[in-house]
Amino acid sequence: MVRFSDALSAAQRWFQSHRDDIPTGAVVVRDLFGRIRIALPPAEPSAFPSAWLTELHATLGAYSPGPENILLLGQDMMAPDAIFAAPDLSPIDPDKPTGLRLLDRVVTGADWLRSQFANQPPCPARATFYGLKGGVGRSTALALFARHLAAQGKRVLVLDLDLESPGVGSLLLPGEKFPSAGLVDWFVEDAVGQADEGLLEYLTAASPLSSDLPGEIRIAPAHGYNEAAYIPKLSRVTLDVRRGANIEHFADRLNRLIEALETKLKPDAVLLDSRAGLHDVAAIALTRLGATAFLFAAHGDQTWQGYRLLFRHWQTHHEVLPAFRDNIRMVDALVPEQFRTEHRAAALAAAYTLFEETIYEESAAESTAEAFNFDMNDLEAPHHSLPIYWRGIFQGYNPVEARNAVSDAEVQASYGQFLRPAERLLFGSAES
Amino acid sequence: MPTSYKDSARRHVSDAEYLWISGSQPRFPNASQLFGMSAECALKAVLIGLGLPTKPDGGVDDHKKYGHLPRLWNEFATYAAGQLGGRYAGLLPGSVGAALPFSSWDVSDRYATDSSLAPRNAEFTNHRSAARDCIALLELAIQDGLPI
């Protein structure tokens, strides 16, 4: 029986055995079911010996669409550009960028491999707070980072993109201070052309967390005050919308929303609280928005195994990595109160193993380009995690409602080694 | 001529049903032709709703093989992507299993001899069922609000 991953390998082997006779520009299309077809560009000869196609069909098993459907001829198609000019075309073998190309049709997750948006400068510093698994103190760290920046006089805009599990809004705003609309409102209104300047007014509110500071924290929560239709709105957020002749994807719409808020509010920093897990919002927030990506990890097999699934995906498409890999930084999210030194060493080693085995490049002596590789103890390396020292006082800590429950000194003791380097990553030099 | 694949899909399928429910074998071949036409139009309408480019008259560039069944099946299956495309591609009849419901359908059957068509009733029944599935796909896309 041919399984999902075997099918693509089988197609590659078939291609190798006939490569001299297959025209340049041929594309392997893997459809939403994982079935494989070979597409020939419109200008190319129209046929292969049927024996070749029968042979390919036989090697693909259930992942063949049938011998009569396995070959797609561009010259016969209604929309050949949808294949041959598709933005998602990538080399099937990343080491051979001019070789056979793959068009992978997927239901979700295409954004993990799409390029960064080219936003118009001046852009504020953007940072994404992400944890492959939730419950690691990501939102609390974000709130304290926002406060840290506001203490330097920075204007900080926080977006709660954890739409399926909103939280940072409540962390930064008492219930009665919520704005009248939330991010989900923008998406449903935008789909019918009503996301105007007026709506932007109602999307954010100032957080009391910065009331004693020279800077300001504004938050755009997932939902507005007294929301009663959240699920019906949320369930429509990721819609792709046609704009004239083009389809605007959810990622494009999210980027447009962030740009509109940046233009309006002129923040120095935009902090995005991303959905956990391998979710589309995370794909966009980590790879497409040009944000510094803080990857929160609670040391443990589950965490590293999960990150490995993601990093292996990037590894097999490493042509897209250079655009954002410099922006990645691990965060050692729950350093325990005891055995800290041992914990740090183990977490660092695990992170290094992950990076070394996946997205770090081998140093190639003959290559002129500098390889993306770091020493395990390089303090600036993406894998070199910034520690957050867990203490019981932060359990259930609400920095707005009970700020005095934890002193600034205690915040610094637990979060200082995260806050200051994180600020440096965003702004170049620490001012504190 | 202004083109509406939505209108023509509905028109062809209701005429096909009219022939079919008359209940006599000699009507089935032409009913099958119309079921196939209806399925073609329904799939084109959904593809347009998903972003397939159209000409100014609303029609697609279908002077090509893939504009017609059974090839159109293939183009639908490779064009659809994302959550929205996946919603329809997953419901496309014949998506699972080797036999595509219109694999035996051919627009040139309209020229066929009576004697060659008479034994094909089982195929025509499949065409009817698949056309109904394609119309259901179209109606779902319309209810979803796709620009069709």
Side-chain angles (χ1 to χ4, degrees), chain A residues 92-115:
Chain A
I92 204 164
D93 178 349
D95 293 323
K96 293 176 185 157
T98 58
L100 186 66
R101 292 174 300 167
L102 172 69
L103 179 59
D104 214 9
R105 296 296 198 198
V106 289
V107 178
T108 62
D111 287 298
W112 290 113
L113 299 176
R114 285 181 176 159
S115 55

Side-chain angles (χ1 to χ4, degrees), chain A residues 35 37 69 76 105-106 242, chain B residues 48 64 74 78 82 95 100:
Chain A
R35 291 173 307 207
R37 295 171 177 81
N69 294 309
D76 289 341
R105 296 296 198 198
V106 289
R242 182 177 333 206
Chain B
I48 290 169
K64 313 262 176 109
N74 227 10
T78 49
S95 285
L100 298 176

Side-chain angles (χ1 to χ4, degrees), chain A residues 118-165:
Chain A
N119 291 323
Q120 298 303 316
C123 300
R126 292 176 177 174
T128 291
F129 284 61
Y130 171 78
L132 190 109
K133 298 190 75 70
V136 293
R138 184 191 78 226
S139 300
T140 305
L142 185 151
L144 292 171
F145 187 52
R147 183 167 162 79
H148 174 79
L149 295 179
Q152 322 294 325
K154 298 270 196 293
R155 294 164 59 84
V156 183
L157 172 64
V158 176
L159 270 70
D160 188 355
L161 296 183
D162 195 358
L163 302 179
E164 282 87 355
S165 175

Side-chain angles (χ1 to χ4, degrees), chain A residues 216-268:
Chain A
E216 185 193 45
I217 302 171
R218 290 195 80 81
I219 163 87
H223 58 82
Y225 178 72
N226 204 17
E227 175 63 82
Y230 190 66
I231 305 289
K233 292 173 185 171
L234 171 67
S235 310
R236 292 174 165 84
V237 160
T238 57
L239 187 67
D240 297 337
V241 175
R242 182 177 333 206
R243 304 269 176 220
N246 300 315
I247 300 291
E248 194 182 30
H249 296 292
F250 170 61
D252 304 288
R253 300 176 67 210
L254 176 58
N255 186 53
R256 190 157 52 77
L257 164 62
I258 296 171
E259 282 196 306
L261 286 169
E262 288 171 348
T263 303
K264 181 170 186 58
L265 300 169
K266 302 192 169 38
D268 301 301

Side-chain angles (χ1 to χ4, degrees), chain B residues 9-65:
Chain B
R10 288 167 168 169
R11 188 167 62 238
H12 294 324
V13 81
S14 46
D15 287 357
E17 278 296 320
Y18 192 76
L19 290 174
W20 191 269
I21 59 175
S22 74
S24 65
Q25 197 282 332
R27 302 281 81 80
F28 292 167
N30 273 346
S32 153
Q33 279 283 294
L34 286 169
F35 281 130
M37 295 285 184
S38 170
E40 272 188 20
C41 296
L43 296 182
K44 282 178 186 169
V46 177
L47 280 172
I48 290 169
L50 292 173
L52 189 83
T54 57
K55 297 181 292 184
D57 68 358
V60 297
D61 187 9
D62 61 357
H63 300 295
K64 313 262 176 109
K65 279 188 201 163

